[in-house]
């Protein structure tokens, strides 16, 4: 951060205790921080005190890297990527920082002095759950890769006081609990109140003539909110680069309204403060669909305005004007949530920095790029004009003007085609009027991308077809990826060791190198040790399951796992239909030879999504009956693990044998859990959807369990008038399964409980479970048979891992850097008194 007062130069004397990376120094620093920061004597320190002391010890070791990185960026006036995202689901920091710094072992030894295990302190960290699922977690993986690839970058977002709710299960139902992640303090962030900025809301606009006789607009707001940045360093893997994640907290500009206060209205006087602080109070817990909630629009505009003002301030510190803004900044819109940024940058350039429209528009269009993450029509954001205009009157005017100029150009290309005009318009005028945020993003960006090959094709053909026809050159695909540092090295140390023993450790930064493992598929000893490792990890998970939910599961059974948000399109209930099918078969034929399985589910439902919550209840109800049925003899177990989050993901991906990726074709934009499973040696059962298609291409069709309709078949069936009843009446086993659920068998005789779910499948079935049912069941039989041949299964698992190189987020980020952002790596040299990474 540039500070105007930086003429004050003072040589920094670095105490070794704050930077040293050897065990002895870390041990000393830990004791020191325990005493002087936590204020605790070792004898009285709680586990949390020790965690905090350790976190500060590690943060100390990040600070030189972080500050040096920022100073280098400023000095070299580099081109910077800004990733604007309403969500960053970063997960716990401690273990990752140890790995990226390369000091895991030293710290392990240093901690053992306290009589504790490092793993216990790591488990102490409250995870920052500042995201719903895939989109927020993708943003976090991308920050890790940006730093690892030494790309100047800032992640801008919102510092929600309450992140995604904690999930408890009461009597099989989801109950939401407030996520108080900040209650014991957050040692990883540093508040920067001096870099606070102001954001306007409400009120009206007026025109005026400035001192030079120019005609201008100004916005007289109803209220002004202050944004305070909280910075977290994001260190790359074994490099000196530490980029910043800058999250904004909203505060009142004046805590009290003195007019009201003096009139004796003390409570009224605090109103403004309460309202201002509400903006960053809580994350909206919806994964895909969004509704027109005013506070949500306030959140979006709040963090986008703060971030753009911040970039402008930094820019003007090094540059005489904003003429070169687009040359120095590349701003990525993570879905449409930050797309109001297009209008806000125009406002800042025109109203505040007095640019003319054309110049401002040129800069704006060359600054932004937009990633779309969903095809679900109900998830495409649109804001009622009434809300938008009232909350952001000046932005509304600017959007009208953008639209006006855009449509004028369109009329020349498509004369007399009013249908085209209304389909392309940023304003939806078909009924109640709306601002279509995806249209604003498309018009205001230099690049538009989808997140998997199929998804991008469907965007071009369908959701954004009209824009694709207009500017095909803007469109490209950037298939998602995940960081192997968190999703293999940190979460699966045993596998990491086994791989590294064979092929060295280069794969951690160059995941394509995993190909080297193919040389060992025929090595029986290697396969043996591979299986032993998997077994041990599964045994750990079995212990954890017993501790958490009191269900005993056998690690030698096939661990069949589906963890992700609960949504009808993801079809957790199709998985349930398979389970009930097996159960039904065993009840009719108790000696049937089946492969014993443990079905593990995890995932949260949006609090207002009735069907998703009913699916959770169904899973738990089926689990209760099957797990307690002595005639099953443990051949089937069903477990729903509450509160699925990053921390639990790290535990479960390594333990899976089978990964369930069973969405209706054409519905899952990409998926990223699918990648995490496969790179940890699970095989996939999946549809031709999202990135599944590319995973299958990479690992080979013979190493992937494919079932179900293709996207084209789904469309065709829908067009021909899909009737799920045909499947219900013609498939006896399917009918028996649905009838069993509908009869109340799993709900203590209550035949009304699951009626809405069963009826929805029989009479409507928007996600075509019944159409895919038989194909899924048959495919699952193949899985069961394959698992029986353990040698064969191990080969497939090893090949899966060996061929997952493409799905590192490093690959995704390289493509964004080369094809969209046009940014270069910048090497960070540490001052020579700082100990280099181990
Ligand atoms: N829900 C998609 O559904 C995708 C992620 C990240 C999603 C996933 O298939 O992997 O984005 N879409 O690209 C989304 O959030 C607003 O849309 C997701 O996480």
């Amino acid at each position: 951060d540039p500070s105007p007062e930086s003429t004050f130069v003072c040589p920094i004397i670095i105490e070794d205790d704050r930077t040293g990376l050897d065990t002895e120094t870390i041990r000393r620093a830990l004791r020191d921080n325990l005493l002087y920061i936590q204020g605790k004597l070792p004898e009285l320190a709680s586990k949390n005190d020790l965690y905090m002391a350790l976190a500060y010890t590690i943060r100390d070791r990040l600070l030189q890297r972080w500050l040096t990185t920022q100073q280098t960026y400023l000095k070299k006036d580099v081109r910077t990527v800004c990733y604007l995202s309403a969500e960053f689901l970063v997960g716990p920091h401690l273990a990752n920082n140890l790995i990226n710094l390369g000091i895991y072992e030293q710290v392990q030894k240093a901690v053992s002095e306290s009589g504790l295990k490092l793993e216990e302190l790591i488990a102490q960290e409250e995870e920052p759950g500042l995201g719903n699922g895939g989109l927020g977690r993708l943003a976090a993986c991308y920050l890790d890769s940006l730093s690892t690839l030494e790309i100047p970058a800032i992640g801008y977002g919102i510092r929600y006081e309450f992140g995604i709710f904690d999930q408890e299960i009461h009597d099989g139902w989801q109950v939401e609990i407030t996520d108080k992640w900040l209650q014991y303090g957050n040692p990883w962030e540093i508040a920067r109140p001096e870099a606070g900025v102001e954001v306007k809301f409400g009120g009206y606009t007026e025109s005026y003539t400035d001192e030079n006789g120019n005609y201008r607009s100004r916005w007289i707001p109803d209220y002004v909110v202050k944004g305070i940045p909280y910075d977290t360093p994001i260190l790359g893997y074994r490099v000196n680069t530490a980029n910043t994640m800058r999250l904004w907290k909203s505060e009142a500009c004046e805590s009290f309204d003195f007019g009201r206060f003096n009139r004796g209205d003390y409570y009224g006087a605090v109103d403004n403060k309460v309202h201002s602080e509400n903006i960053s109070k809580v994350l909206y817990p919806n994964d895909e669909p969004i509704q027109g909630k005013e506070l949500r629009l306030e959140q979006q505009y709040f963090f986008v305005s703060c971030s753009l003002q911040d970039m402008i301030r930094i820019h003007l510190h090094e540059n005489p004007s904003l003429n070169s803004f687009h040359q120095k900044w590349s701003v990525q819109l993570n879905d449409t949530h930050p797309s109001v940024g297009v209008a806000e940058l125009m406002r800042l350039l025109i109203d505040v920095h007095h640019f003319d429209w054309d110049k401002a528009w040129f800069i704006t269009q060359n600054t932004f790029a937009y990633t779309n993450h969903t095809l679900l029509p109900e998830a495409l954001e649109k804001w009622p004009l009434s809300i938008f205009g009232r909350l952001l009157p000046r932005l509304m005017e600017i959007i009208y003007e953008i639209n006006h100029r855009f449509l004028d150009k369109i009329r020349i290309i498509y004369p007399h085609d009013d249908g085209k005009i209304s389909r392309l318009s940023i304003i939806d005028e078909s009924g109640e009027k709306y601002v279509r945020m995806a249209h604003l993003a498309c018009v205001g960006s230099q690049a538009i991308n989808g997140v998997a090959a199929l998804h991008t094709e469907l965007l071009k053909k369908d959701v954004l077809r009209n824009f694709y026809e207009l500017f095909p050159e803007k469109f490209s695909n950037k298939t998602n990826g995940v960081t192997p540092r968190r999703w293999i090295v940190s979460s699966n140390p045993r596998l990491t060791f086994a791989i590294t023993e064979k092929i060295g450790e280069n794969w951690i930064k160059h995941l394509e190198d995993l190909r080297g493992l193919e040389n060992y598929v025929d090595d029986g000893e290697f396969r043996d040790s591979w299986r032993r490792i998997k077994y041990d990890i599964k045994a750990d998970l079995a212990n954890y399951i017993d501790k958490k939910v009191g269900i005993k599961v056998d690690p030698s059974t096939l661990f069949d796992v589906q963890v992700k948000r609960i949504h009808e399109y993801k079809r957790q209930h199709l998985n349930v239909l398979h389970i009930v099918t097996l159960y039904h078969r065993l009840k009719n034929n108790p000696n049937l030879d089946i492969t014993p399985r443990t079905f593990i589910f995890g995932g949260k439902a949006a609090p207002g999504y009735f069907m998703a919550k009913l699916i959770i209840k169904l899973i738990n109800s089926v689990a209760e009956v099957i797990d307690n049925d002595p005639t099953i003899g443990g051949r089937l177990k069903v477990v729903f693990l509450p509160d699925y989050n990053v921390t639990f993901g790290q535990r479960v991906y390594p333990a899976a044998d089978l990964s369930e990726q069973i969405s209706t074709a054409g519905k899952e934009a990409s998926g990223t859990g699918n990648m995490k499973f496969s790179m940890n040696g699970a095989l996939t059962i999946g549809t031709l959807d999202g990135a599944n298609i590319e995973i299958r291409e990479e690992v080979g069709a013979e190493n992937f369990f494919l079932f179900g309709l293709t996207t084209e078949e789904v469309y065709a069936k829908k067009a021909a008038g899909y009737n799920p009843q045909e499947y219900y009446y013609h498939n006896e086993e399917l009918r028996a399964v649905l009838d069993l659920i509908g009869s109340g068998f799993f709900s203590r005789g209550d035949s009304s409980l699951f009626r809405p779910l069963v009826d929805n499948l029989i009479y409507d079935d928007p996600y075509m479970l019944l159409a895919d049912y038989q194909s899924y069941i048959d495919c699952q039989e193949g899985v069961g048979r394959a698992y029986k041949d353990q040698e064969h299964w191990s080969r497939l698992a090893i090949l899966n891992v060996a061929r997952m190189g493409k799905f590192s987020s490093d690959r995704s980020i390289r493509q964004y850097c080369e094809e969209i952002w046009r940014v270069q790596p910048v090497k960070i040299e540490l001052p020579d008194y700082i100990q280099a990474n181990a």
Side-chain angles (χ1 to χ4, degrees):
D1 250 342
S3 136
E5 321 305 336
S6 57
T7 45
F8 174 66
V9 179
C10 131
I12 306 173
I13 311 291
I14 304 299
E15 293 296 336
D16 174 55
D17 278 22
R18 299 225 164 186
T19 59
L21 299 179
D22 59 291
T23 303
E24 193 39 51
T25 312
I26 292 169
R27 190 177 285 153
R28 213 168 47 234
L30 198 52
R31 267 185 253 138
D32 195 69
N33 283 333
L34 187 61
L35 187 62
Y36 291 103
I37 294 192
Q38 274 313 97
K40 284 289 177 81
L41 294 170
E43 317 65 300
L44 294 176
S46 67
K47 213 186 261 185
N48 194 58
D49 290 325
L50 286 163
Y51 159 71
M52 290 294 269
L54 178 57
Y56 282 112
T57 304
I58 303 312
R59 193 182 85 177
D60 285 342
R61 280 144 185 81
L62 299 180
L63 270 165
Q64 282 290 334
R65 288 163 174 77
W66 193 15
L67 299 181
T68 308
T69 302
Q70 301 315 315
Q71 199 183 24
T72 308
Y73 291 168
L74 268 187
K75 250 199 291 199
K76 297 197 171 167
D77 194 20
V78 298
R79 179 168 166 83
T80 303
V81 178
C82 293
Y83 202 81
L84 256 59
S85 179
E87 305 186 1
F88 284 97
L89 189 46
V90 286
H93 294 285
L94 175 56
N96 261 80
N97 281 326
L98 295 179
I99 287 165
N100 287 8
L101 270 169
I103 57 171
Y104 200 97
E105 274 89 45
Q106 293 90 308
V107 171
Q108 213 162 25
K109 281 193 206 130
V111 164
S112 67
E113 187 193 50
S114 66
L116 280 171
K117 277 199 162 148
L118 175 57
E119 287 66 32
E120 288 178 62
L121 296 189
I122 287 173
Q124 196 61 35
E125 182 172 352
E126 277 280 349
E127 80 167 64
L130 308 186
N132 275 288
L135 169 139
R137 183 53 235 177
L138 185 75
C141 284
Y142 282 180
L143 291 187
D144 179 276
S145 286
L146 281 162
S147 292
T148 298
L149 296 175
E150 304 175 289
I151 303 293
I154 305 174
Y156 280 114
I158 303 174
R159 181 179 176 274
Y160 301 104
E161 183 177 340
F162 305 116
I164 186 69
F165 61 84
D166 293 336
Q167 179 194 56
E168 288 183 3
I169 300 297
H170 296 180
D171 186 32
W173 295 98
Q174 166 174 297
V175 174
E176 299 93 20
I177 310 286
T178 315
D179 161 50
K180 300 196 181 129
W181 73 289
L182 288 169
Q183 67 182 326
Y184 300 115
N186 173 7
W188 303 103
E189 68 185 5
I190 294 184
R192 306 280 189 198
E194 72 281 8
V197 296
E198 296 193 343
V199 180
K200 300 178 187 188
F201 288 100
Y204 58 94
T205 65
E206 60 184 24
S207 30
Y208 69 102
T209 314
D210 71 9
E211 57 279 12
N212 303 320
N214 295 312
Y215 192 65
R216 302 201 177 282
S217 291
R218 68 180 154 222
W219 178 3
I220 316 296
D222 215 14
Y223 53 103
V224 176
V225 174
K226 196 174 207 174
I228 305 293
Y230 282 69
D231 291 353
T232 302
I234 307 292
L235 178 71
Y237 179 76
R238 309 288 157 96
V239 290
N240 297 324
T241 300
N243 285 319
T244 300
M245 177 173 70
R246 172 160 277 193
L247 304 182
W248 299 94
K249 174 179 194 277
S250 63
E251 286 189 0
C253 282
E254 307 289 343
S255 340
F256 293 99
D257 176 335
F258 284 102
R260 276 186 157 183
F261 188 45
N262 291 335
R263 273 178 267 121
D265 181 8
Y266 181 82
Y267 282 97
V270 187
D271 263 8
N272 165 37
K273 179 171 165 64
V274 171
H275 183 80
S276 300
E277 289 178 356
N278 269 344
I279 292 179
S280 61
K281 189 66 75 181
V282 56
L283 167 76
Y284 277 94
N286 287 308
D287 197 25
E288 302 267 0
I290 71 110
Q291 337 88 313
K293 288 267 187 279
E294 186 161 342
L295 181 60
R296 166 93 173 169
L297 182 58
E298 283 182 87
Q299 292 186 335
Q300 296 182 349
Y301 179 64
F302 165 72
F303 96 89
V304 166
S305 178
C306 289
S307 308
L308 286 168
Q309 292 185 60
D310 198 48
M311 289 171 221
I312 288 176
R313 182 181 52 84
I314 298 170
H315 188 88
L316 291 177
H317 189 264
E318 294 302 308
N319 299 273
S321 86
L322 294 174
N323 285 317
S324 59
F325 188 80
H326 59 289
Q327 289 157 356
K328 296 290 169 191
W329 304 90
S330 184
V331 180
Q332 192 67 32
L333 303 170
N334 198 24
D335 214 88
T336 53
H337 316 147
S339 60
V340 65
V342 169
E344 174 64 359
L345 183 55
M346 287 298 284
R347 185 189 72 82
L348 291 166
L349 291 172
I350 293 171
D351 291 1
V352 182
H353 297 277
H354 298 172
F355 276 75
D356 65 43
W357 182 278
D358 290 333
K359 180 79 207 195
W361 185 240
F362 176 82
I363 293 173
T364 298
Q365 267 199 320
N366 283 289
T367 297
F368 289 104
Y370 158 55
T371 306
N372 172 290
H373 293 266
T374 182
L375 296 159
L376 298 192
E378 70 268 28
L380 291 178
E381 268 193 309
K382 48 180 193 175
W383 291 103
L385 234 53
S386 49
I387 295 185
F388 201 103
R390 179 159 29 88
L391 197 65
L392 308 171
R394 180 63 184 134
L395 285 290
M396 192 69 255
E397 288 175 357
I398 290 173
I399 289 173
Y400 272 131
E401 185 64 23
I402 293 173
N403 198 37
H404 176 74
R405 290 171 184 242
F406 170 59
L407 295 182
D408 277 352
K409 287 202 182 133
I410 301 309
R411 280 196 195 89
I412 297 171
I413 306 171
Y414 305 103
H416 318 298
D417 190 345
D418 286 351
K420 200 68 156 187
I421 304 291
S422 70
R423 283 194 297 278
L424 279 165
S425 175
I426 298 172
I427 311 294
D428 177 353
E429 302 191 90
S430 53
E432 190 195 345
K433 291 189 182 176
Y434 292 98
V435 188
R436 295 161 162 161
M437 301 312 277
H439 292 215
L440 179 61
C442 285
V443 174
S445 295
Q446 49 101 1
I448 301 165
N449 75 281
V451 291
L454 172 71
H455 171 232
T456 302
E457 285 314 304
L458 294 173
L459 279 182
K460 295 199 274 192
K461 268 204 223 108
D462 201 12
V463 183
L464 300 178
R465 187 185 69 237
N466 292 302
F467 289 97
Y468 179 61
E469 274 169 27
L470 263 189
F471 19 76
E473 70 289 347
K474 281 194 191 181
F475 282 74
S476 73
N477 175 244
K478 298 286 168 285
T479 299
N480 286 168
V482 302
T483 169
R485 272 73 67 183
R486 183 174 293 268
W487 296 109
I488 305 178
V489 181
S490 178
S491 58
N492 201 342
R494 284 180 268 221
L495 185 67
T496 300
F497 185 79
I499 297 173
T500 301
E501 215 181 24
K502 290 294 181 204
I503 64 171
E505 59 176 26
N506 247 344
W507 61 273
I508 299 170
K509 269 187 121 156
H510 303 276
L511 204 63
E512 322 77 63
D513 288 6
L514 283 177
R515 283 272 171 187
L517 282 178
E518 286 197 32
N519 297 331
Y520 300 92
V521 278
D522 293 326
D523 175 340
E525 245 171 74
F526 184 65
R527 289 199 307 273
D528 273 349
S529 73
W530 187 273
R531 272 195 300 280
R532 258 198 313 279
I533 288 170
K534 188 58 116 184
Y535 183 89
D536 290 345
I537 299 169
K538 289 164 74 179
D540 283 354
L541 182 64
N543 280 329
Y544 178 83
I545 291 173
D546 191 14
K547 230 175 48 209
K548 281 278 156 184
V549 291
I551 300 174
K552 300 235 180 311
V553 306
D554 175 356
S556 66
T557 59
L558 189 168
F559 277 20
D560 180 335
V561 186
Q562 188 170 19
V563 288
K564 51 179 79 237
R565 285 301 285 257
I566 311 293
H567 203 294
E568 287 163 281
Y569 86 75
K570 295 177 188 283
R571 303 200 293 191
Q572 280 91 356
H573 46 340
L574 178 59
N575 190 338
V576 174
L577 295 184
H578 173 235
I579 298 171
V580 175
T581 302
L582 293 180
Y583 180 66
H584 181 248
R585 286 183 186 171
L586 283 174
K587 291 309 270 185
N588 289 321
N589 184 359
N591 298 320
L592 188 72
D593 176 31
I594 66 156
T595 302
R597 293 201 199 207
T598 301
F599 296 91
I600 298 168
F601 291 88
K604 296 174 185 176
Y609 187 174
F610 166 74
M611 200 58 97
K613 290 180 131 176
L614 192 57
I615 291 174
I616 293 179
K617 174 67 176 169
L618 175 65
I619 296 168
N620 283 307
S621 303
V622 167
E624 196 183 337
V625 170
I626 295 184
D627 294 350
N628 296 309
D629 185 336
T631 67
I632 297 303
R635 285 174 293 175
L636 301 177
K637 283 271 165 139
V638 183
V639 179
F640 186 94
L641 275 159
D643 203 34
Y644 175 59
N645 57 12
V646 174
T647 309
F648 179 61
Q650 292 184 206
R651 202 183 267 283
V652 81
Y653 292 114
D657 293 307
L658 187 66
S659 155
E660 298 271 353
Q661 306 302 334
I662 60 178
S663 51
T664 318
K667 296 290 179 191
E668 187 71 90
S670 163
T672 42
N674 46 3
M675 302 168 187
K676 296 164 197 168
F677 277 113
S678 189
M679 56 176 73
N680 279 281
L683 304 188
T684 306
I685 181 163
T687 48
L688 284 177
D689 200 15
N692 294 353
I693 298 175
E694 290 158 78
I695 292 175
R696 179 166 171 268
E697 251 163 45
E698 291 294 306
V699 303
E702 66 288 2
N703 299 306
F704 187 104
F705 297 98
L706 179 70
F707 76 97
L709 299 175
T710 63
T711 305
E712 291 74 42
E713 289 164 345
V714 166
Y715 284 7
K717 249 199 195 337
K718 279 254 159 83
Y722 172 57
N723 180 8
Q725 289 182 70
E726 282 170 23
Y727 294 91
Y728 177 74
Y729 287 113
H730 290 123
N731 188 328
E732 212 176 300
E733 191 165 42
L734 169 61
R735 192 166 65 249
V737 164
L738 286 169
D739 288 351
L740 195 60
I741 296 170
S743 73
F745 181 84
F746 296 107
S747 39
R748 300 180 187 157
D750 179 356
S751 60
S752 64
L753 183 60
F754 298 122
R755 208 61 265 164
L757 197 151
V758 172
D759 281 355
N760 182 268
L761 292 181
I762 300 174
Y763 300 110
D764 188 12
D765 195 17
Y767 299 101
M768 298 195 160
L769 280 76
L770 303 206
D772 276 348
Y773 169 81
Q774 197 55 53
S775 163
Y776 182 54
I777 298 295
D778 296 344
C779 190
Q780 284 284 21
E781 274 192 58
V783 170
R785 276 194 304 275
Y787 193 74
K788 285 208 159 114
D789 182 350
Q790 282 285 298
E791 288 290 354
H792 173 63
W793 187 275
S794 304
R795 277 175 206 271
L796 303 191
I798 293 167
L799 288 177
N800 261 261
V801 175
R803 297 172 179 176
M804 284 300 286
K806 171 173 172 185
F807 302 98
S808 167
S809 45
D810 298 346
R811 186 270 312 149
S812 316
I813 286 297
R814 275 200 194 91
Q815 290 181 326
Y816 277 99
C817 286
E818 284 163 22
E819 296 160 26
I820 295 182
W821 301 331
R822 297 184 317 281
V823 283
Q824 304 290 328
V826 173
K827 275 255 169 291
I828 305 299
E829 305 285 351
L830 287 181
D832 50 16
Y833 48 78
I834 302 298
Q835 195 178 331
N837 295 357

